[in-house]
């Protein structure tokens, strides 16, 4: 969801402002749900975490997390934060019982990307809320004001009522997920995000959860009628950062990698 807001030594903190209220269209440009049968969607295992296979190297994949530290990442807009750490081979957002009363902020990739395929494994704590924002600009106060968000949340136990467009795998605040594909909270999930010339796909555990074209009539309608109607920069960045959201909840990422298309 969207409420944003990482580091110190091996710790990098970030705080994000995640999903808030506001009504939104749940329409998508495509309603075709297709299973992904590629090897990349095989069940997640603990083998060879945070490494690239020879095949991945030959295909042009790059690791965004080396499993040891936060090299390649920074706190969004250089904000102060103490909530992110490289821990046991994961990028771990420590969460906060105090929510906004301490230092939190998003963790943002140093590099920017335009056309790409992004992959990661992730899990979230009970009642947790986070997100992966892409095509993000640091010109705005918060990353979600520019970049679309792949929603991560505990769909079953979140303490507030969720709209469909707030559920895991959704194009947050723009369209409900095409299918419910999240594993039980605490288990590892596998996410893919594909962005190619404005066409975007979200995949979760081998199932497509979003399919849309930035700038299409359907997309413009959802933006105009929903949460982003006053966010002039939303969806305007053509080449932007990958941004991991800190919503005050514990969340873990591993096998974070990207291939430019």
């Amino acid at each position: 969801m969207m409420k944003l807001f990482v580091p110190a030594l091996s710790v990098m903190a970030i705080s994000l402002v995640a999903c808030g209220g506001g009504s939104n269209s749940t329409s998508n440009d495509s309603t075709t749900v297709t299973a992904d049968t590629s090897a990349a969607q095989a069940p997640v295992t603990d083998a060879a975490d945070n490494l690239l296979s020879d095949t991945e190297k030959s295909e042009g994949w790059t690791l965004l997390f080396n499993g040891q530290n936060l090299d390649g990442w920074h706190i969004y807009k250089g904000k102060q934060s103490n909530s992110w750490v490289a821990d046991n081979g994961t990028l771990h957002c420590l969460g906060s019982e105090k929510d906004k009363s301490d230092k939190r902020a998003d963790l943002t990739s140093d590099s920017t990307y335009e056309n790409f395929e992004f992959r990661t494994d992730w899990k979230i704590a009970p009642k947790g809320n986070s997100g992966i924002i892409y095509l993000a600009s640091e010109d705005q106060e918060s990353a979600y004001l520019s970049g679309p968000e792949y929603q991560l949340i505990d769909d079953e136990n979140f303490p507030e009522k969720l709209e469909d467009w707030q559920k895991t795998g959704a194009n947050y605040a723009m369209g409900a997920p095409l299918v419910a594909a999240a594993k039980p909270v605490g288990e590892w999930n596998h996410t893919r995000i594909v962005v190619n010339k404005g066409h975007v796909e979200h995949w979760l555990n081998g199932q497509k959860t979003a399919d849309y074209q930035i700038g299409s009539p359907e997309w413009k309608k959802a933006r105009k009628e929903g949460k982003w109607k006053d966010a002039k920069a939303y969806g305007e960045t053509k080449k932007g950062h990958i941004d991991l959201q800190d919503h005050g909840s514990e969340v873990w990422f591993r096998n974070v990698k990207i291939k430019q298309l």
Side-chain angles (χ1 to χ4, degrees):
M1 291 181 102
M2 312 201 86
K3 276 177 185 180
L4 300 113
F5 299 99
V6 160
L9 301 178
S10 236
V11 176
M12 257 186 146
I14 89 175
S15 307
L16 254 157
V17 193
C19 315
S23 61
N24 271 66
S25 166
T26 58
S27 64
N28 285 77
D29 292 355
S30 170
T31 56
T32 301
V33 181
T34 306
D36 189 332
T37 58
S38 68
Q41 294 298 125
V44 177
T45 70
D46 293 328
D49 284 338
N50 307 309
L51 295 174
L52 294 176
S53 68
D54 290 340
T55 298
E56 287 175 320
K57 291 176 183 178
S58 68
E59 291 175 346
W61 287 93
T62 300
L63 276 179
L64 291 185
F65 172 53
N66 61 20
Q68 301 176 2
N69 55 50
L70 300 181
D71 287 356
W73 299 86
H74 64 274
I75 304 305
Y76 184 77
K77 291 180 71 72
K79 295 180 179 181
Q80 291 186 320
S81 175
N82 58 9
S83 57
W84 289 87
V85 59
D87 178 30
N88 293 322
T90 70
L91 270 178
H92 182 191
C93 182
L94 300 174
S96 170
E97 294 181 358
K98 299 178 181 179
D99 195 25
K100 290 186 286 188
S101 63
D102 60 358
K103 297 175 182 178
R104 297 192 293 107
D106 289 0
L107 187 63
T108 305
S109 67
D110 290 345
S111 299
T112 57
Y113 305 92
E114 183 173 8
N115 301 310
F116 59 88
E117 179 176 345
F118 172 88
R119 300 178 188 169
T120 189
D121 303 328
W122 61 271
K123 64 179 179 179
I124 199 163
K127 301 181 181 180
N129 176 15
S130 184
I132 302 167
I133 300 167
Y134 47 95
L135 299 178
S137 166
E138 291 188 281
D139 293 336
Q140 306 301 310
E141 179 60 24
S142 300
Y144 65 78
L145 293 174
S146 59
E149 179 183 348
Y150 183 117
Q151 173 73 314
L152 311 178
I153 197 167
D154 181 354
D155 292 326
E156 300 301 323
N157 304 296
F158 193 72
E160 301 173 15
K161 182 182 182 299
L162 297 178
E163 301 293 340
D164 286 343
W165 49 262
Q166 291 176 295
K167 295 183 178 179
T168 300
N171 176 22
Y172 173 73
M174 289 288 280
L178 300 174
V179 63
K183 295 183 179 180
V185 69
E187 293 188 16
W188 286 101
N189 294 270
H190 182 68
T191 278
R192 291 177 60 221
I193 301 170
V194 183
V195 179
N196 195 5
K197 299 179 181 178
H199 180 250
V200 181
E201 296 178 1
H202 291 184
W203 293 84
L204 177 60
N205 299 321
Q207 298 189 67
K208 185 187 289 185
T209 61
D211 189 329
Y212 68 95
Q213 181 73 36
I214 296 174
S216 70
E218 294 86 354
W219 183 89
K220 290 180 179 178
K221 183 176 185 293
R223 174 181 168 175
K224 181 179 179 180
E225 296 178 352
K227 186 181 181 75
W228 311 121
K229 59 181 181 294
D230 297 321
K232 296 182 179 180
Y234 179 82
E236 295 298 319
T237 305
K238 306 304 180 186
K239 184 176 183 179
H241 300 274
I242 304 294
D243 183 274
L244 305 180
Q245 188 181 69
D246 177 1
H247 196 288
S249 303
E250 272 196 290
V251 60
W252 296 259
F253 298 90
R254 69 184 183 188
N255 298 322
V256 187
K257 56 191 73 172
I258 198 164
K259 178 176 70 172
Q260 301 202 58
L261 302 178

